[in-house]
Amino acid sequence: MTDEDWDLVTIWVREYLLSAVDPYERLRIYDFPPDVIASLPFTRVPANNARVLVRAFRKDVKGQVRLLEIVISISELAVLPDVKKAEEFLRTLRADAKLEEGSSLGVTDNFRTSVFGDEVFIDRLALRDTLREFVANPNKFVLLVDGEPGSGRSYTYTFLRHLGQHHGFRPARVTLSRNSTADKLIRRLADIVDAPSARPSLNPMGPNDPLPSIDEAVHWVVGRATALDKPLWLVIDECDKLDPGSDVWDVIGQLALAIYEQACGNQAPRLVLLGYGPGMYPLPYDLKSSQCRDTARIIGERELHDFFDQYFRESPPACLGEGELAEKHLSGMVDFAVEEVLHAARKGGNGGECYMRKVCVAAEGAVSAYRSL
């Protein structure tokens, strides 16, 4: 689930669960752990209480599942169309919880998973190995992902959300454009670290307002990020869209340097730069040994064949039976899926989506059809 998805959950919690005068009394009606609820610093502001509650249950997949189960059971929400979206979120979280349970039994490697919930992440073996090192090594805190436009650089965020569920960190993305400015980026980063009312601005609102430097603003953001109860990975996407003279380059460099200078230990935030090529604005020299790099490449028929072959063989439908004939049918299903996905990706339409996005959407449709057998 994305941060935008959780924003929607927070709205549901605020509107249908915590609009009562006494939030503690309201929550006693539902099956929340009493010790957890008693420890939450609720106030008289429902919006703040909703953020507090959601944050408390986002720490692990099981807590997320439990929260969505309770949200869906609220009678006021159950009669609204929004409940369909909530049920969709719950299905995704339950699939993630199942993967986590399998991992604890030693049967699942989350760095090799290609299907999680309703999403797929195909190939990118080099990235998977790079992320394994990146997660395990606290001295590596800047990940740069390069590649041709349309090669799936932005789709890296999908895999980071999956890993975050199982390795205890929270990825949050900011997508840049040619019109992005340092002030806009600082404000968005401040929102991510959950302090919109206190966020710094590089543009003073009045004649006597102080004007913080970029260095001061990013150190404030990193300090807030380090104080969060869950490690934060700041993902800045489409860096290649920036104008070469943009002041956002200064923010990115200072942000990476602030993490290097200010943060330490397992709570330290990480910085992920998508679309950041070697010829772009160089990061500070001190960060040279703290970086990991990956290059995204457009996948083709071979990578798709490997993906479907692995997934179909891991969970063959019971209707195929066993033996040589079943093997032949399974191989035919793999070939058919590859052909259909490539056909869907190469044709026009789909709202101008890039090639890799169309590949993944078509593959997700094939996986859904396979599961229905």
Side-chain angles (χ1 to χ4, degrees):
M1 289 176 59
T2 66
D3 284 344
E4 291 75 14
D5 295 336
W6 282 110
D7 287 343
L8 185 55
V9 173
T10 304
I11 291 173
W12 294 333
V13 169
R14 182 192 69 202
E15 296 295 324
Y16 307 116
L17 190 62
L18 292 177
S19 58
V21 175
D22 185 347
Y24 296 102
E25 184 64 30
R26 172 69 169 165
L27 293 181
R28 290 190 188 100
I29 301 174
Y30 298 91
D31 191 22
F32 284 105
D35 55 332
V36 175
I37 299 305
S39 67
L40 298 179
F42 286 151
T43 65
R44 295 183 179 181
V45 182
N48 291 341
N49 294 342
R51 285 194 290 270
V52 167
L53 181 66
V54 171
R55 190 184 306 120
F57 280 85
R58 280 188 66 179
K59 294 179 180 179
D60 56 60
V61 180
K62 290 183 178 179
Q64 294 168 14
V65 169
R66 186 67 198 121
L67 178 60
L68 262 295
E69 288 175 340
I70 292 174
V71 167
I72 289 173
S73 72
I74 301 172
S75 58
E76 292 89 340
L77 179 63
V79 298
L80 298 177
D82 276 357
V83 75
K84 298 296 182 183
K85 193 67 176 177
E87 289 170 348
E88 178 185 328
F89 291 163
L90 182 57
R91 284 194 297 272
T92 299
L93 291 174
R94 281 174 171 166
D96 286 337
K98 187 176 181 180
L99 282 173
E100 186 175 74
E101 181 180 356
S103 178
S104 67
L105 298 174
V107 298
T108 300
D109 181 355
N110 292 311
F111 290 94
R112 293 297 177 186
T113 304
S114 294
V115 179
F116 30 89
D118 296 325
E119 296 180 293
V120 303
F121 193 78
I122 304 168
D123 195 50
R124 302 290 292 276
L125 299 182
L127 174 67
R128 296 168 188 267
D129 291 339
T130 298
L131 282 170
R132 193 188 298 276
E133 174 192 3
F134 195 67
V135 169
N137 189 345
N139 296 317
K140 300 287 186 181
F141 55 81
V142 180
L143 173 65
L144 304 103
V145 178
D146 189 22
E148 299 177 10
S151 60
R153 298 171 309 187
S154 296
Y155 211 60
T156 304
Y157 183 61
T158 298
F159 195 64
L160 294 182
R161 292 206 319 267
H162 158 69
L163 284 183
Q165 294 278 34
H166 303 284
H167 293 272
F169 65 87
R170 170 197 167 201
R173 178 169 60 175
V174 179
T175 301
L176 302 177
S177 70
R178 192 171 182 83
N179 297 321
S180 295
T181 65
D183 186 62
K184 289 179 180 178
L185 179 55
I186 290 294
R187 286 174 176 272
R188 182 69 186 96
L189 293 173
D191 287 342
I192 288 173
V193 297
D194 200 30
S197 62
R199 62 189 180 188
S201 172
L202 301 179
N203 294 323
M205 300 301 293
N208 297 318
D209 287 345
L211 180 63
S213 65
I214 289 177
D215 177 71
E216 292 171 329
V218 298
H219 273 84
W220 181 91
V221 168
V222 172
R224 291 284 306 184
T226 306
L228 297 176
D229 55 6
K230 194 172 189 178
L232 180 66
W233 287 28
L234 295 168
V235 182
I236 301 181
D237 195 2
E238 298 194 359
C239 295
D240 57 330
K241 295 288 182 67
L242 280 176
D243 186 284
S246 173
D247 55 1
V248 172
W249 295 114
D250 292 331
V251 176
I252 292 174
Q254 292 291 340
L255 184 62
L257 192 60
I259 295 174
Y260 172 78
E261 294 175 343
Q262 185 172 334
C264 62
N266 294 330
Q267 286 298 113
R270 306 286 184 97
L271 181 63
V272 180
L273 303 175
L274 304 181
Y276 204 101
M280 294 182 181
Y281 191 95
L283 294 177
Y285 181 79
D286 290 347
L287 309 178
K288 187 174 182 180
S289 63
S290 303
Q291 302 174 26
C292 288
R293 184 176 288 278
D294 174 71
T295 299
R297 294 179 175 84
I298 295 176
I299 64 173
E301 182 175 349
R302 181 183 61 81
E303 292 84 5
L304 277 171
H305 187 280
D306 291 345
F307 163 73
F308 283 115
D309 188 69
Q310 175 186 339
Y311 180 70
F312 288 2
R313 293 182 188 282
E314 285 176 350
S315 54
C319 62
L320 284 185
E322 298 179 356
E324 184 177 342
L325 184 60
E327 176 70 20
K328 184 177 179 179
H329 282 314
L330 197 62
S331 297
M333 293 171 68
V334 170
D335 293 339
F336 178 75
V338 171
E339 181 180 346
E340 289 297 304
V341 168
L342 288 175
H343 175 71
R346 288 167 181 162
K347 68 181 182 181
N350 292 337
E353 290 180 334
C354 73
Y355 176 79
M356 278 298 299
R357 172 66 65 177
K358 288 189 284 188
V359 166
C360 291
V361 170
E364 287 162 1
V367 167
S368 178
Y370 180 78
R371 286 172 169 171
S372 66
L373 294 177

